[in-house]
């Protein structure tokens, strides 16, 4: 993918200086951290080119032109620590003393009008999480593995799923080529008949919970029966895992096979996140994947670190789903 906008070095340094002034820890006091970022906007401390770029992304989303965008040459923290692969979260808490990457993601969410979402039972309720290899998940189908990922939504089996995911490249080794694939839901519809779409909109399907969710809550096994297609072109699907629910009509299996075929045929976007890229894409109105195209040093590739946020589409969605207030900030939900 071509970047929607690339900051000049001067713009990046100006934005870095503004974001570095936010010293509140998002992991200890997210509401104060969020307000500090909002204060930067209110004071006019954010480069106009950045605010205009995010406004352009917001306009394209609303017009249905694109659900995936890249901002390049964004500021990140001056020191990006190497994280321990046994417990990277605890290691991040101990080592990461500045929050430029987190402030960048918070700023993007505020300007895009997409309130951030966190889960009480994951990562201590943090709004900023890490896509990084964790040793115990090596080879498993989770974002915390060191392997590839099939096309999916994040948290497919869960009742509350983010509308958007945004990633910032904190450490992306130059010698290894790992791509994020993205296919828009509207593109999938182009390869499905009206009858197939109607079947896929029925609650004829189930999806197992991911291994990370099961580790946090052993009562989670498989989702309730759910449709795969929702709303206009939203999709709820984990390739190779979502299957036909018991007692569903035989034609549901044919519709599922048709979806798999559509996924092969549909137009796709692929982006290799480099350090300093901000990549934002729809989680429910599309599917994404991880493709290891060329890995020349597997151990170096395991050091790849993306900082990540989940977000609601708008404030109304946040109000609909969030189940508690945190010092006036809406955004945490139960698992």
């Amino acid at each position: 993918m071509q970047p929607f906008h690339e900051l000049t070095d001067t713009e990046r340094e100006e934005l870095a200086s503004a974001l570095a002034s936010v010293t509140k820890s998002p992991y200890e006091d997210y509401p104060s951290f969020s307000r500090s970022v909002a204060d930067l906007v209110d004071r006019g401390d954010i480069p106009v080119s950045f605010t205009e770029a995010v406004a352009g992304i917001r306009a394209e989303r609303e017009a249905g032109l694109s659900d995936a965008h890249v901002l390049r040459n964004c500021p990140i923290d001056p020191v990006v620590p190497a994280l321990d692969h046994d417990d990277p979260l605890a290691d991040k808490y101990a080592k990461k003393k500045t929050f430029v990457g987190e402030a960048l993601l918070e700023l993007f969410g505020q300007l895009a009008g997409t309130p951030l979402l966190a889960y009480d039972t994951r990562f201590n309720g943090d709004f900023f999480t890490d896509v990084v290899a964790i040793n115990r998940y090596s080879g498993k189908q989770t974002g915390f593995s060191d392997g590839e990922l099939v096309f999916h939504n994040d948290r497919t089996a869960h009742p509350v799923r983010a509308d958007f995911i945004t990633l910032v490249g904190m450490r992306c080794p130059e010698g290894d080529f790992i791509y994020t694939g993205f296919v828009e839901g509207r593109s999938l519809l182009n390869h499905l008949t009206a009858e197939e779409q109607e079947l896929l909109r029925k609650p004829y399907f189930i999806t197992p919970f991911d291994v990370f969710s099961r580790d946090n809550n052993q009562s989670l096994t498989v989702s309730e029966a759910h449709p795969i297609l929702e709303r206009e072109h939203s999709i709820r699907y984990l390739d190779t895992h979502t299957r036909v629910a018991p007692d569903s009509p035989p034609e549901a299996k044919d519709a599922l096979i048709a979806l798999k075929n559509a996924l092969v045929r549909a137009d796709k976007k692929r982006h290799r996140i480099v350090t300093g890229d901000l990549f934002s894409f729809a989680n429910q109105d599309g599917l994404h994947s991880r493709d290891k195209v060329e890995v020349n040093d597997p151990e170096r590739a395991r050091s790849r670190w993306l900082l990540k946020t989940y977000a609601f589409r708008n404030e109304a969605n946040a109000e609909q789903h969030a189940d508690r207030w945190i010092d006036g900030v809406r955004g945490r939900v139960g698992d």
Side-chain angles (χ1 to χ4, degrees):
M1 285 180 58
Q2 291 296 315
F4 184 80
H5 175 75
E6 182 169 354
L7 280 68
T8 66
D9 289 345
T10 299
E11 291 169 343
R12 185 194 68 231
E13 292 168 5
E14 182 182 352
L15 182 56
S17 177
L19 299 178
S21 70
V22 178
T23 57
K24 292 287 187 182
S25 169
Y27 306 108
E28 297 176 359
D29 188 354
Y30 173 74
S32 295
F33 169 85
S34 179
R35 285 193 294 269
S36 294
V37 173
D39 289 343
L40 296 177
V41 178
D42 292 341
R43 293 197 301 265
D45 292 345
I46 305 303
V48 173
S49 61
F50 186 83
T51 60
E52 289 179 344
V54 180
I57 291 172
R58 188 172 183 173
E60 285 207 354
R61 287 175 172 177
E62 292 173 353
L65 298 177
S66 179
D67 283 321
H69 298 86
V70 176
L71 298 177
R72 175 149 288 174
N73 200 31
C74 295
I76 60 172
D77 297 84
V79 176
V80 179
L83 297 182
D84 170 68
H85 291 288
D86 286 327
D87 192 348
L89 180 61
D91 211 33
K92 180 180 71 171
Y93 289 160
K95 293 178 178 176
K96 195 171 188 296
K97 303 302 182 184
T98 59
F99 310 107
V100 174
E102 291 88 345
L104 174 68
L105 286 165
E106 175 70 26
L107 174 65
F108 181 83
Q110 291 187 15
L111 294 176
T114 52
L116 301 191
L117 160 66
Y119 293 91
D120 276 343
T121 57
R122 292 166 67 93
F123 304 110
N124 301 318
D126 290 344
F127 286 81
F128 306 92
T129 61
D130 309 297
V131 180
V132 64
I134 301 177
N135 286 334
R136 66 183 177 276
Y137 296 116
S138 179
K140 298 183 179 181
Q141 185 63 32
T142 171
F144 309 109
S145 77
D146 51 6
E148 294 191 321
L149 299 175
V150 298
F151 276 104
H152 66 286
N153 319 104
D154 271 26
R155 301 176 64 72
T156 313
H158 292 264
V160 179
R161 300 172 304 284
D163 294 305
F164 288 100
I165 291 171
T166 304
L167 302 165
V168 168
M170 300 294 288
R171 177 183 291 105
C172 302
E174 294 183 2
D176 302 301
F177 297 84
I178 301 173
Y179 283 76
T180 301
F182 181 76
V183 58
E184 294 181 339
R186 59 173 66 88
S187 180
L188 288 170
L189 296 188
N190 292 333
H191 300 276
L192 293 166
T193 67
E195 181 181 1
E196 290 163 348
Q197 291 184 38
E198 182 179 359
L199 286 165
L200 291 168
R201 293 183 183 279
K202 303 291 186 181
Y204 292 156
F205 310 92
I206 55 175
T207 302
F209 282 87
D210 61 280
V211 62
F212 185 84
S213 294
R214 295 198 306 270
D215 282 354
N216 283 277
N217 184 347
Q218 294 184 2
S219 69
L220 300 177
T221 55
V222 68
S223 72
E224 79 290 352
H226 65 82
I228 287 178
L229 295 180
E230 300 176 309
R231 295 178 290 278
E232 184 178 355
H233 47 69
S234 295
I235 182 165
R236 184 178 179 183
Y237 179 68
L238 173 56
D239 197 26
T240 72
H241 289 69
T242 298
R243 61 183 187 268
V244 175
D247 302 324
S248 294
E251 55 266 30
K253 183 177 180 180
D254 294 333
L256 182 61
I257 293 172
L259 174 69
K260 290 177 177 289
N261 292 337
L263 184 56
V264 173
R265 297 168 181 152
D267 292 336
K268 300 173 185 69
K269 301 176 182 179
R270 288 185 173 86
H271 182 67
R272 180 187 176 218
I273 301 173
V274 301
T275 302
D277 271 5
L278 183 151
F279 184 22
S280 188
F281 52 88
N283 183 49
Q284 295 200 59
D285 286 346
L287 300 171
H288 60 281
S289 66
R290 180 195 295 161
D291 305 314
K292 298 175 72 173
V293 175
E294 182 179 348
V295 173
N296 295 299
D297 185 336
E299 191 58 33
R300 179 181 61 194
R302 293 183 82 245
S303 72
R304 184 174 185 255
W305 176 12
L306 309 178
L307 199 62
K308 173 181 182 178
T309 55
Y310 292 127
F312 292 111
R313 182 177 303 279
N314 49 43
E315 192 64 40
N317 278 26
E319 292 292 333
Q320 178 183 354
H321 290 293
D323 65 359
R324 66 174 62 180
W325 290 91
I326 306 173
D327 294 341
V329 176
R330 187 66 121 175
R332 275 190 183 153
V333 298
D335 203 302

